[in-house]
Amino acid sequence: MAPTRDELHWMYRFMVISRRFEETIAEAYFEGKTPVFNMANGTIPGEMHLSDGQEPVAVGVCAHLKPTDVVTATHRPHHQAIAKGVDLDKMAAEIFGKKTGLSGGRGGHMHLFDANANFACSGIIAQGMGPAVGAALSRKMQGKDGVAVAFLGEGAVNQGAWHEAMNMAAVWKLPFVCVIEDNAWGISVPKDAATAIANNADRAAAYGIPGHRIEGNDPYKIYEVAGEAIARARAGEGPTLIEVETYRLAGHFMGDAEAYRPEGEKDALFAKDPIPAMRARMLEDGSAGEAELDRIEAEAAERVAAAIKFARESEEPAPEDALTAVFA
């Protein structure tokens, strides 16, 4: 199942929006953090994890999802939030810690929550597995349409929560898809130093479910495999495990010196940047022209600029707001 022309345009648009959004966030993040870097300072205090290079995973999967479908993501969530339809203005405001943010500025970029888009993420490794499998179970029990997708990094598959939730999803044949983004690094630890198996997709056999490994960060192949997995889930045939080889073009967090990377690795990854690669492929196969792609890129830049403007101009939370929305 290949993506249609319209779907390719949608995928490219949201890949570009995600990249432009993160480029702009990166500029804002370093405001007030020089000449000596301190992540507690500046316009956006705290950690910041960018998903540059991983955009194909988000669009290839989310192209098949409906508003009623549920997505949980990790501490590196922007590309998936954007592809799932999270409100970009409110998302930007949340990252800037503003009152108009998705959670009133309380959650920041690692804890985005948008009930309208059925999207949530967490800074806790593998935390999204339980909520996603729970959402899939609720839909099955209530006889409602909908699937749940959990996005995780390759290191999260070593957490006990992953195995427990995966087993439950398989036993109950839930409408669930687990998507592992294998960017080869768990913070600064290489995959082969932390995981006993080369391909996490092989773990699917332990749960009696299909497992797929996708090489090359290919949005077309991701679209194809994800489409089959989501259709299978909707048909009541149970979960699927997908692992995608993807690339983390930035460090683990903003300010990461990345001294752990082998010499030349980043240059090699930038040579495989998926956005110019997809643009070239669309031009070559005739699914888009130069003018169309230029327009998509210009519109993406305008949309991101508007969201950042909204965030910067939004009201700061009042000090007393720290006492609201808390458990007593």
Side-chain angles (χ1 to χ4, degrees):
M1 178 175 57
T4 65
R5 188 177 188 277
D6 287 345
E7 286 171 330
L8 286 172
H9 284 223
W10 181 91
M11 291 164 66
Y12 187 72
R13 176 178 293 108
F14 279 89
M15 284 174 65
V16 173
I17 290 174
S18 179
R19 182 67 62 88
R20 300 295 169 261
F21 183 81
E22 293 204 314
E23 288 173 345
T24 310
I25 287 292
E27 293 176 4
Y29 182 76
F30 280 111
E31 293 173 4
K33 292 185 174 68
T34 57
V36 178
F37 179 79
N38 183 338
M39 67 173 59
N41 294 336
T43 305
I44 304 175
E47 283 191 290
M48 178 61 60
H49 309 83
L50 302 184
S51 56
D52 291 15
Q54 299 184 194
E55 298 92 349
V57 187
V59 299
V61 174
C62 291
H64 299 283
L65 298 180
K66 303 175 183 179
T68 51
D69 295 327
V70 171
V71 165
T72 64
T74 70
H75 58 282
R76 197 180 308 283
H78 301 159
H79 55 321
Q80 291 140 0
I82 290 169
K84 186 58 174 70
V86 169
D87 187 296
L88 198 63
D89 291 348
K90 293 180 180 180
M91 177 175 161
E94 183 65 27
I95 292 170
F96 276 77
K98 297 299 184 70
K99 191 171 185 177
T100 54
L102 292 167
S103 300
R106 297 177 179 86
H109 102 101
M110 285 192 283
H111 302 95
L112 303 172
F113 178 79
D114 189 344
N116 293 323
N118 280 310
F119 179 90
C121 64
S122 172
I124 300 173
I125 304 302
Q127 187 276 338
M129 282 293 289
V133 170
L137 175 60
S138 73
R139 278 149 180 74
K140 183 169 183 176
M141 292 179 68
Q142 296 175 54
K144 292 182 178 179
D145 179 46
V147 303
V149 178
F151 289 94
L152 301 97
E154 82 287 341
V157 186
N158 296 324
Q159 294 285 338
W162 184 86
H163 294 275
E164 293 177 24
M166 198 75 251
N167 184 64
M168 292 172 65
V171 167
W172 293 331
K173 291 189 180 299
L174 300 182
F176 172 70
V177 179
C178 178
V179 181
I180 303 166
E181 293 181 296
D182 177 11
N183 63 27
W185 292 99
I187 306 179
S188 59
V189 179
K191 182 181 180 182
D192 61 6
T195 301
I197 190 168
N199 296 328
N200 282 309
D202 293 344
R203 299 187 191 223
Y207 303 104
I209 64 173
H212 304 275
R213 167 83 180 179
I214 302 171
E215 305 287 348
N217 208 21
D218 182 349
Y220 292 72
K221 186 65 175 177
I222 297 166
Y223 174 93
E224 176 186 342
V225 174
E228 293 172 357
I230 291 168
R232 182 174 180 275
R234 293 196 196 283
E237 297 175 14
T240 301
L241 175 59
I242 302 171
E243 182 174 57
V244 182
E245 178 195 28
T246 189
Y247 315 130
R248 195 185 77 196
L249 298 180
H252 171 65
F253 59 89
M254 296 298 293
D256 180 1
E258 301 183 76
Y260 49 85
R261 288 200 193 254
E263 185 177 353
E265 179 184 274
K266 286 200 72 172
D267 290 340
L269 293 181
F270 273 101
K272 298 187 288 187
D273 188 326
I275 292 180
M278 185 170 183
R279 179 186 172 100
R281 186 169 177 179
M282 292 174 72
L283 291 172
E284 182 179 354
D285 65 19
S287 57
E290 290 273 5
E292 290 175 296
L293 296 179
D294 289 346
R295 184 175 66 253
I296 288 173
E297 292 168 9
E299 291 171 352
E302 290 175 6
R303 181 66 192 92
V304 168
I308 299 301
K309 183 175 186 291
F310 173 82
R312 287 188 181 276
E313 295 178 353
S314 289
E315 181 183 358
E316 298 279 354
E320 56 268 25
D321 286 347
L323 303 177
T324 63
V326 295
F327 290 102

